[in-house]
Amino acid sequence: MRKLMQLAFIFVTIVAFAQTKEVVKFRGNILNYSENPYAFFKVIDQREDKQIGTLPFGEQKEMKEVVFPSTPDTDFSAWYLKSNQPGKLTDFVLVLKKLKLSTGESDGKKTEGKMDFSAQTFAKTGDKYQFLYKKDTVFTFYDKEVSELMVKNIPTIFSVFIKKSYSLNPTGNSVSLNDLADYSSLVKTNYPALKDAPLKDGIYLDYISFFNQTPEKGDYTLEINNKGDVTKAVKEENGKKTKISAYKMFAYVEKGKARKSTFSGFMDLDKDENGFYLLANRGHLFPVQSNSTYGMFGLIGGIAGAIEQGARQKKMKSGDAGKVYIDPLTGEYDFSDE
């Protein structure tokens, strides 16, 4: 009888423990449609805090710890192999920096939830890594069952992030595994634009040319309309005119002063010890977004009930402006400090 009671106690303990876990389910696929084939999917987990979060679930608001089924490396590898055939020399590597869920205020109907997300991707050949993509952001969710919604959408967010990475070619120098610990800082020290030398005047079509300080060749003149807005840049050589429309520019530099193209037109691009930034808010930088739009990746995608934190333009454009930095590795706006 005593042994039977012990077994029953152990069984109840195991069941109770299992009920305190909410396991992430890797539904959908991460099929690679691009021309960049990869052999295997590997994950390097650099999270300082390995716990995803403990959240309230169900009508009783039972507190459960959100967990991966096993380990990020095992789970993502299995997810990848469901829809991709291995066989090439180059591996796809995801460096997981942060994945943290939390809940916040409630109006009685809906509760706010936040997801801190930070990850980088690399192409690995042999023992060397080349950069593909990175994202550091915060998502905000609003729903009656916000915990369930956030957990459900973890695979969706990773899927869009991974598929965006597939579409990009590796950039920069090949680095070792040790260099991945602080890859962003390593690369920033090599960009000419981030050094003390004055910026070169000219037209820059993308963030790579800007941070490398390689403007378009030739002597371009800016054309401005009656509203004071830059509309194009024009150069004339050997009787032939070349025009670059404003919407094709990443930035231009005139008399050492940089201005960046944004949703609200060209804005001053200043620099401090942390890099280049705009004095702006999300309303200045993005069009109005519904909760079915993925502003974070520049792609159309879908996350039911979720938008990036504070992305409502009408509200944000009238709000306070602050320093919004330009990520030198992607050219995107960096909201990781919000």
Side-chain angles (χ1 to χ4, degrees):
M1 178 62 72
R2 185 177 180 181
K3 288 185 177 180
L4 184 61
M5 291 180 65
Q6 287 177 335
L7 289 173
F9 176 77
I10 292 171
F11 176 76
V12 171
T13 302
I14 292 173
V15 171
F17 177 78
Q19 289 176 340
T20 64
K21 305 289 183 180
E22 185 70 21
V23 180
V24 177
K25 297 177 176 64
F26 285 89
R27 296 189 175 100
N29 70 76
I30 44 175
L31 182 61
N32 186 359
Y33 290 103
S34 75
E35 296 180 356
N36 300 315
Y38 293 102
F40 294 103
F41 195 118
K42 301 181 183 298
V43 176
I44 299 173
D45 191 354
Q46 291 186 350
R47 291 176 296 162
E48 291 183 5
D49 184 353
K50 297 295 195 291
Q51 291 188 331
I52 299 174
T54 301
L55 309 175
F57 287 85
E59 293 184 2
Q60 302 302 318
K61 301 304 178 186
E62 179 185 3
M63 299 304 292
K64 295 184 180 182
E65 182 185 357
V66 181
V67 298
F68 287 115
S70 55
T71 67
D73 187 45
T74 299
D75 298 335
F76 278 93
S77 178
W79 194 24
Y80 179 80
L81 291 175
K82 283 182 180 179
S83 51
N84 294 279
Q85 292 294 325
K88 302 297 180 181
L89 297 176
T90 302
D91 291 334
F92 185 91
V93 178
L94 186 150
V95 178
L96 184 56
K97 295 281 190 177
K98 183 184 292 185
L99 180 63
K100 179 64 66 176
L101 306 184
S102 61
T103 56
E105 297 180 357
S106 174
D107 61 5
K109 295 181 179 179
K110 294 183 178 181
T111 301
E112 180 187 66
K114 292 183 180 180
M115 181 190 298
D116 287 310
F117 178 94
S118 178
Q120 301 174 355
T121 52
F122 295 83
K124 176 178 179 286
T125 304
D127 61 352
K128 296 296 183 180
Y129 300 78
Q130 270 192 292
F131 178 77
L132 289 170
Y133 189 53
K134 71 185 288 283
K135 196 67 195 181
D136 308 291
T137 194
V138 177
F139 292 105
T140 296
F141 297 75
Y142 298 93
D143 197 80
K144 180 180 179 181
E145 305 295 342
V146 72
S147 299
E148 288 85 346
L149 185 66
M150 286 194 290
V151 173
K152 179 181 178 181
N153 280 294
I154 288 175
T156 307
I157 289 172
F158 273 107
S159 176
V160 175
F161 173 69
I162 291 165
K163 290 177 180 179
K164 168 74 173 181
S165 300
Y166 288 157
S167 69
L168 302 172
N169 292 318
T171 60
N173 296 326
S174 296
V175 298
S176 67
L177 176 62
N178 291 336
D179 293 326
L180 298 189
D182 195 10
Y183 180 79
S184 296
S185 297
L186 173 70
V187 173
K188 287 178 183 179
T189 60
N190 295 322
Y191 276 128
L194 294 173
K195 297 180 179 179
D196 293 333
L199 296 176
K200 295 180 181 179
D201 284 3
I203 308 300
Y204 297 88
L205 300 186
D206 53 47
Y207 73 95
I208 295 175
S209 62
F210 176 77
F211 283 101
N212 283 321
Q213 282 296 280
T214 53
E216 292 297 293
K217 294 181 179 179
D219 186 13
Y220 280 90
T221 300
L222 297 172
E223 290 194 0
I224 301 174
N225 62 19
N226 55 13
K227 296 180 180 180
D229 300 323
V230 173
T231 58
K232 64 174 71 72
V234 180
K235 74 173 181 179
E236 186 169 354
E237 292 181 347
N238 302 321
K240 181 181 178 181
K241 282 188 176 182
T242 302
K243 300 179 181 180
I244 300 176
S245 298
Y247 74 88
K248 292 184 178 180
M249 302 180 200
F250 174 81
Y252 69 82
V253 177
E254 187 176 45
K255 296 180 180 179
K257 177 63 180 175
R259 305 198 81 218
K260 185 187 181 302
S261 177
T262 74
F263 174 72
S264 301
F266 283 94
M267 299 181 68
D268 289 343
L269 191 58
D270 296 308
K271 184 174 73 169
D272 62 15
E273 66 277 6
N274 295 316
F276 284 92
Y277 66 89
L278 303 167
L279 281 178
N281 57 42
R282 290 177 184 261
H284 297 127
L285 305 177
F286 298 113
V288 175
Q289 296 182 8
S290 70
N291 59 0
S292 62
T293 307
Y294 242 132
M296 80 174 250
F297 296 115
L299 295 175
I300 296 175
I303 298 184
I307 59 173
E308 276 199 86
Q309 186 174 359
R312 294 187 182 89
Q313 180 194 349
K314 291 182 179 179
K315 178 180 178 181
M316 289 299 297
K317 198 165 187 177
S318 61
D320 294 335
K323 291 183 179 182
V324 179
Y325 288 90
I326 309 300
D327 189 332
L329 295 181
T330 63
E332 298 176 359
Y333 302 116
D334 184 352
F335 296 104
S336 58
D337 292 331
E338 285 192 349

